[in-house]
Amino acid sequence: MQGEGEIGLQDIAGGDYAVTVHRGPFNLLNKTYHRVCGEWIPASGRELSSAPCLEICLNDPEVTPEEELMVEVCLPLVSLD
């Protein structure tokens, strides 16, 4: 399968991810990243990998009020191998 026009395809690596749900306006996503990267990751003993983070919108921002927006934030972790 190939993308068309402005749509491309990218393989996403498997492995462990730290996953949390951000609730609220998109302009506050940095607070969620700060909480996970600045608090949870150091306390967990894990490290972030260099793979891209993923943000998955769980509702439609065109019709959802800002305070009800939900985004699944997935941060790739270094393998424990």
Side-chain angles (χ1 to χ4, degrees):
M1 178 184 268
Q2 289 188 298
E4 291 182 24
E6 294 181 24
I7 305 297
L9 299 177
Q10 179 180 0
D11 288 329
I12 308 244
D16 292 340
Y17 284 77
V19 179
T20 190
V21 175
H22 168 82
R23 289 177 173 85
F26 293 150
N27 66 343
L28 297 179
L29 267 166
N30 63 324
K31 292 181 184 280
T32 297
Y33 278 95
H34 183 268
R35 184 172 42 86
V36 175
C37 295
E39 297 173 21
W40 186 86
I41 298 260
S44 74
R46 301 292 301 267
E47 295 179 29
L48 287 175
S49 83
S50 60
C53 298
L54 304 172
E55 294 177 359
I56 303 165
C57 292
L58 300 177
N59 48 19
D60 184 350
E62 295 293 323
V63 297
T64 304
E66 273 194 332
E67 64 276 358
E68 295 178 22
L69 291 171
M70 296 190 329
V71 178
E72 190 172 67
V73 177
C74 309
L75 294 100
L77 301 172
V78 171
S79 175
L80 293 177
D81 295 329

